[in-house]
Amino acid sequence: MKSARIAVAVLITVGVCGLSSSSFTNAFAQIKAGKSRPAATKYLMRGVVKSHCGDLGSMLKEGPKDDEAWDTAACHAACLNEMSYVLMDDGRCPDGVWAAAAGTTLREGSAALMAAAEAKDLEAANAAFKTVTSSCAACHKA
């Protein structure tokens, strides 16, 4: 009788751990890639987000020098804004921190950055860029 209770307890424990593990794995997988598209999230972050943020950061340190440079800044901001949608799509969003960072902070900051670049307003562009980079910190420090 005692061994039967132990066997049942072991089966329940294994079952609960298996369910918890599969739930954790599914949530973690959403961070790594979308559900139906093959691009790994880390490649989208490195290839699109990081490259556009890096170029913008360099450009905004001294300010865009001419109309073409301001247009390039607006282009970088537009790409980051589009990424705020991509990062929320296809099951990539695992939690509320991600949703706030990508779906709200990155989206609003990059839209403000586009507007500032179109107005050629360096002070507003730098403020908006700070908002954009705070969206990165929200997840990467969480």
Side-chain angles (χ1 to χ4, degrees):
M1 183 71 145
K2 185 177 181 180
S3 61
R5 280 188 254 172
I6 292 173
V8 169
V10 168
L11 287 174
I12 290 172
T13 303
V14 168
V16 169
C17 289
L19 288 174
S20 297
S21 174
S22 68
S23 297
F24 176 75
T25 301
N26 288 340
F28 191 69
Q30 289 177 341
I31 295 171
K32 289 185 174 184
K35 291 180 179 178
S36 63
R37 294 193 303 265
T41 303
K42 69 179 182 178
Y43 296 141
L44 294 173
M45 291 294 197
R46 187 171 73 203
V48 181
V49 176
K50 185 179 178 183
S51 64
H52 287 288
C53 275
D55 288 349
L56 269 168
S58 297
M59 183 178 284
L60 293 175
K61 281 182 184 174
E62 296 183 24
K65 303 294 182 207
D66 55 26
D67 288 348
E68 184 178 351
W70 278 109
D71 186 63
T72 299
C75 176
H76 288 306
C79 291
L80 290 170
N81 186 267
E82 191 62 27
M83 285 304 297
S84 75
Y85 293 91
V86 171
L87 294 172
M88 292 297 296
D89 195 23
D90 198 33
R92 290 186 192 278
C93 178
D95 57 32
V97 172
W98 183 285
T104 303
T105 309
L106 177 59
R107 191 167 298 160
E108 292 172 0
S110 58
L113 185 50
M114 284 182 355
E118 289 168 1
K120 299 177 182 124
D121 183 341
L122 184 58
E123 186 176 329
N126 277 311
F129 185 65
K130 187 173 183 177
T131 300
V132 167
T133 58
S134 75
S135 72
C136 303
C139 287
H140 290 277
K141 290 183 180 177

